[in-house]
Amino acid sequence: CVTYDFPGKVLQVEFANGGVYRYTDVPVEIWRSIQRADSVVKVIAAEVRGKFTSVKVEPVTVEFPEL
């Protein structure tokens, strides 16, 4: 799953292994390229990874109280 925040130019990618990364200052043209791509992973590897600042997003655990 890949999402893009237009105002913030933040690309968020969830990989098949469950890892989620946010890339900052990604131009909208790259988002459009991802949308048109046959292989999202190839575009991310060639155009995003290592070229933009990224942070791994840790999963959030929510605990609900017993009722």
Side-chain angles (χ1 to χ4, degrees):
C1 177
V2 181
T3 58
Y4 186 76
D5 172 55
F6 287 89
K9 299 195 303 186
V10 175
L11 183 74
Q12 182 165 300
V13 182
E14 181 177 349
F15 293 96
N17 67 4
V20 178
Y21 289 83
R22 283 189 190 140
Y23 299 89
T24 56
D25 293 323
V26 178
V28 70
E29 292 80 12
I30 291 180
W31 166 243
R32 291 184 180 130
S33 176
I34 289 169
Q35 288 182 304
R36 292 188 304 267
D38 291 329
S39 173
V40 171
V41 173
K42 286 182 182 178
V43 174
I44 291 169
E47 303 294 330
V48 178
R49 192 175 294 144
K51 297 181 181 179
F52 298 95
T53 302
S54 67
V55 62
K56 185 172 184 182
V57 179
E58 296 299 326
V60 176
T61 304
V62 178
E63 295 185 24
F64 295 98
E66 294 270 336
L67 296 178

